[in-house]
Amino acid sequence: MIPTQTLSRFIHSQRKRYPDSTGELSDLLVSISLGMKLISQMVATAGFKGLHGYSGEINVHGDEKRILDDEADEVLVELLGSSGHFGLLVSEERDSVIATDASHNEGKYVLAFDPLDGSSNIGSNIPTGTIFCIYKKKDENRAAINDDFCQPGSAVVAAGYSVYGAKTSFVYSTGSGVHGFTLDPSIGEFVLTDPDIRVPERGTIYSVNEGNTAFWDDRVKTYVESLKRHDATEKGPYTGRYVGSLVADFDRTLRKGGVFLYPVDAKRPTGRLRLLYECMPLAFIMEQAGGSAINGPDRIVEITPSDIHQKSALITGSPSEVARYAAQVHAKGDVKGR
Ligand code: P6P
C-alpha cells in the first residue's frame, strides 16, 4: 500500500485552511519530527551501545540523568536551535533557558520540550517519548525572552508527543484536532494512521501510581477506591493500568478513554509532573480531542506558568471521568497533600 499521507504532505494539506499561513509552523513541525526519528533510533540501539546507564549528573528536579536524556536533549537543541524558527528553547534537562542561533529578532516562536520522558524505564524496554509545546512570542518585534514561556494554553500554537515503543508514533495538534502518525522504517517517514483522534466520552481504565496512597488526601483515596467498586461502571470495577511513563499512560488514555491522574500529595505538594513541557502540551492535546485536563481545581490550559520548571498535578482523560474526580475531590475546596 503506497502511504498517501506522510507527515509533511498532511501538514501541507492542512495549510489550505490557513490562507495567510507562511508555512513556518509546518516546517518546524517537520523539523521536530526529524528529531523524534533520530531519538527513536538512539533508543532502539542504546542497549548494545551501552547507553542505558546514568550520566552521573542530577537534573534541576533532583532526578538522576540517564546518558540518553542528555543525548536526546543535544539532538533537539542542535536541530531546533539552528532551525531559525525559535528564539529560545526550554528543556527539562537544562536548568535555564537555551539561546538559539536565531539572530536578534528572528524566531517567531519559543519551544519547550521534555526530550526523553520516562527515561528511567529505558533499561526494561518500557515505552519512552518526547513531549513538546510551542508558543508564539508575546511580541514579534523583539527578541524572545523568558516571559514568552509564561503564557496559558490559549497561546499554544502547537503541541505534540512521540512514543518510542513497539512502534514509533507521533501525535500533534495545532488547534484543529489531534492527528496520529506511525513511523514507517522502510521509508523513514511518519505516515498518517490516526486522523482526528477523539477521546471516548467515558472509559473503564484508571491510571495512577497507587504506591503513593499513604500520601494522598482522604478525598483522593475515596475517589480511587470508588473506581474499584463492583458498580463503578456498567461492567463492574475499572481496570487499573499504570506504566510509569507519562507518554505511554497518556497515549493509552487519549485513545481508549478513562482517567490518568497524578494528584498532589504530601511528598509532592506542588505535583510531580512539569507544567510547561509535560502537563500543558498534553492538556492542549487532550482538550483538542474532546477530553479534559485539570490540576484539581483548574483547567491546565487556563494556568499561566510562572517558572519554566514549575510542577503541577495532572488529572486527564474522558470528560465524564475527569468531571467525576473534580466533583468528588474538589467540590469542597482545595486538596492538600497529607
Ligand atoms: P512515579 C517519568 O520520570 C515521569 O516523569 C513520567 O514519565 C511518569 O508519568 C512519572 O515520572 C512517574 O512518576 O512517581 O509514578 O514514578
Side-chain angles (χ1 to χ4, degrees), residues 48-64:
F48 45 82
K49 291 181 181 171
L51 295 177
H52 276 172
Y54 289 95
S55 64
E57 293 172 31
I58 303 289
N59 70 16
V60 64
H61 311 285
D63 299 329
E64 276 191 292

Side-chain angles (χ1 to χ4, degrees), residues 117-118 120 209 242 244-246 260 262 268 272-274 278:
D117 174 70
S120 56
N209 182 346
Y242 189 74
S245 181
L246 178 58
F260 168 89
Y262 210 119
R268 307 159 191 89
R272 160 86 165 92
L273 305 175
R274 289 79 180 191
E278 291 179 334

